[in-house]
Amino acid sequence: MLLLRCQLKHTPLQASCRFCVVMGKLQSKLKHSTYKYSRPDGIIEERIQTKAFQEYSPAHVDAVSVVAALNSDLCVSGGKDKTVVAYNWKTGKVVKRFKGHEREITKVACMPQSDQFFSASRDRRVLMWDLHDSSQPRQQLSGHAMVVTGLAVSPDMSQLCTGSRDNTLLLWDVGTGQCVERACVSRNLVTHMCWVPREPYILQSSEDKTIRLWDSRGLQVAHMFPTKQHIQTYCEVSMDGHKCISCSNGFGGEGCEATLWDLRQTRNRICEYKGHFQTVASCVFLPRTLALVPVIATSSHDSKVKLWNQDTGACLFTLSLDGSGPLTSLAVGDPISLLCASFNRGIHLLRMDHSRGLELKEVAAF
């Protein structure tokens, strides 16, 4: 640990000393994080980073539940403070705050190549927002009996599918705001949803330990993947629509894994990624830029972000965000940047580096 002293050599720093105040502000910007690095010879080293990084203006005043990328500069997030925030993570500035929900925000979903997005909340409503419109929602969608826990926008932006802990999925016409289809499956407590690119299918994870593939044409279950041993907390589809990944809850290393599935005809399980010690809350496919192999990232309640070789299941890198508490959500900001939401320290901006093998570094927090 780095020990700072003022010019009068006060140790520890004293609030009554002018120099101590300056030193204290500097010390507050020096954070440390631990990470594990897999060397080419197979040996795993644990290293500690202690370096200054940027502390941006905070996006929220409480735990952040979810973050999503709106474009290559802006992200949209929501949390326990009941607000939705559009944030420029490259400049560290709040672009706009949106207030309309009465309870915690649970999900946000952005419309492709648009400045519009949706937010879901424990108040059972879904609100549609426009970045350049007023701070009032453009639409309010009400139809669920319990907290809304899934949002999926169709690739052509004409439809929105919502899911809830009330076991129902609702399909909405975005233009009119009308519900056009409704489906209910017993014990299907929705945890997350996403639309398959260029297809009429919606992927959905559930507390009943299953992953379902829905056909939006009539809102019928098209396929159920084999039931897992633990609650499936999140799901994501690759950009080419050929694969999907889900992750599970757990404790002490039991469960706490991510699973890669084939979305094509065989629809088999391809690989599993095990190494977290608490619930894995989010998983994303990373763009093929710096890494020589396809990579998946996961974030967990154990305060760790892990990078995985998608093909082999090997853990390539582990970054521990000490003091952040449970990590709740991951989003790809740009080809080398990840946004990671947390309970205790807002949103972390992480950057991938391939200069010494694939590494992940925290460069800012907001």
Side-chain angles (χ1 to χ4, degrees):
M1 181 181 292
L2 182 63
L3 184 64
L4 297 178
R5 297 183 181 181
C6 73
Q7 291 183 359
L8 300 178
K9 302 187 185 303
H10 289 146
T11 305
L13 302 180
Q14 297 181 10
S16 59
C17 174
R18 176 183 171 188
F19 293 108
C20 284
V21 172
V22 175
M23 289 295 102
K25 289 181 178 179
L26 175 59
Q27 184 166 268
S28 69
K29 292 182 179 292
L30 292 171
K31 308 288 183 181
H32 75 274
S33 55
T34 61
Y35 64 92
K36 290 183 179 179
Y37 169 66
S38 297
R39 293 180 0 190
D41 57 11
I43 296 175
I44 298 177
E45 295 180 354
E46 184 163 310
R47 303 175 181 175
I48 297 178
Q49 288 179 174
T50 304
K51 62 178 292 184
F53 66 91
Q54 293 178 284
E55 292 275 10
Y56 291 155
S57 262
H60 297 273
V61 296
D62 208 331
V64 182
S65 307
V66 61
V67 63
L70 185 62
N71 54 44
S72 60
D73 297 318
L74 305 183
C75 65
V76 178
S77 58
K80 287 191 175 181
D81 61 5
K82 309 173 190 175
T83 63
V84 180
V85 177
Y87 198 98
N88 188 318
W89 52 270
K90 290 188 175 177
T91 64
K93 302 292 184 182
V94 172
V95 176
K96 204 167 190 177
R97 295 186 186 275
F98 301 87
K99 297 183 179 180
H101 285 292
E102 297 171 357
R103 298 188 66 186
E104 174 186 352
I105 312 301
T106 54
K107 299 288 180 180
V108 294
C110 301
M111 299 179 71
Q113 299 177 337
S114 167
D115 291 324
Q116 297 176 343
F117 50 92
F118 295 92
S119 60
S121 168
R122 289 188 177 275
D123 65 12
R124 301 175 293 178
R125 296 180 300 152
V126 174
L127 302 181
M128 180 183 181
W129 309 93
D130 191 310
L131 182 65
H132 303 297
D133 210 342
S134 70
S135 294
Q136 298 300 312
R138 295 192 63 182
Q139 285 184 358
Q140 176 177 303
L141 309 178
S142 300
H144 287 290
M146 296 182 71
V147 51
V148 182
T149 47
L151 292 176
V153 184
S154 65
D156 64 1
M157 299 185 291
S158 66
Q159 294 180 308
L160 172 74
C161 193
T162 62
S164 168
R165 289 182 61 85
D166 63 9
N167 304 326
T168 63
L169 271 68
L170 302 179
L171 190 65
W172 305 83
D173 183 302
V174 171
T176 65
Q178 298 298 310
C179 179
V180 295
E181 296 284 356
R182 178 187 178 91
C184 184
V185 175
S186 177
R187 294 182 291 184
N188 181 28
L189 282 74
V190 175
T191 57
H192 194 71
M193 298 167 60
C194 52
W195 210 292
V196 180
R198 300 175 294 279
E199 298 286 350
Y201 297 111
I202 302 153
L203 191 71
Q204 179 241 316
S205 54
S206 172
E207 284 195 15
D208 68 4
K209 307 176 184 178
T210 65
I211 304 293
R212 290 177 174 85
L213 191 64
W214 293 81
D215 191 331
S216 63
R217 299 163 297 187
L219 206 57
Q220 299 290 325
V221 176
H223 181 72
M224 280 183 63
F225 292 91
T227 303
K228 298 283 289 178
Q229 295 297 311
H230 295 81
I231 289 171
Q232 299 299 286
T233 57
Y234 192 87
C235 57
E236 175 93 349
V237 180
S238 60
M239 288 301 296
D240 60 12
H242 294 167
K243 298 180 180 69
C244 67
I245 187 170
S246 66
C247 52
S248 79
N249 77 337
F251 184 77
E254 276 294 318
C256 316
E257 85 276 353
T259 305
L260 184 69
W261 307 90
D262 193 339
L263 268 179
R264 291 167 291 186
Q265 289 185 350
T266 60
R267 292 177 176 165
N268 294 327
R269 185 179 69 185
I270 301 173
C271 192
E272 286 196 326
Y273 311 91
K274 297 184 177 182
H276 284 291
F277 286 91
Q278 293 185 41
T279 293
V280 181
S282 188
C283 47
V284 294
F285 292 90
L286 299 188
R288 286 293 296 269
T289 51
L290 299 179
L292 301 177
V293 296
V295 177
I296 285 169
T298 57
S299 65
S300 167
H301 288 186
D302 62 14
S303 303
K304 292 178 173 59
V305 179
K306 288 181 177 285
L307 302 181
W308 308 86
N309 183 316
Q310 176 182 302
D311 297 332
T312 67
C315 182
L316 303 173
F317 193 85
T318 300
L319 177 66
S320 181
L321 297 170
D322 301 326
S324 65
L327 305 180
T328 55
S329 179
L330 275 179
V332 176
D334 65 22
I336 61 169
S337 302
L338 271 177
L339 301 163
C340 180
S342 72
F343 259 53
N344 297 338
R345 288 182 51 218
I347 301 170
H348 306 263
L349 175 58
L350 311 177
R351 190 149 293 151
M352 286 173 280
D353 183 8
H354 200 59
S355 59
R356 298 187 302 168
L358 186 60
E359 295 185 1
L360 197 58
K361 298 180 180 179
E362 183 177 15
V363 296
F366 53 93

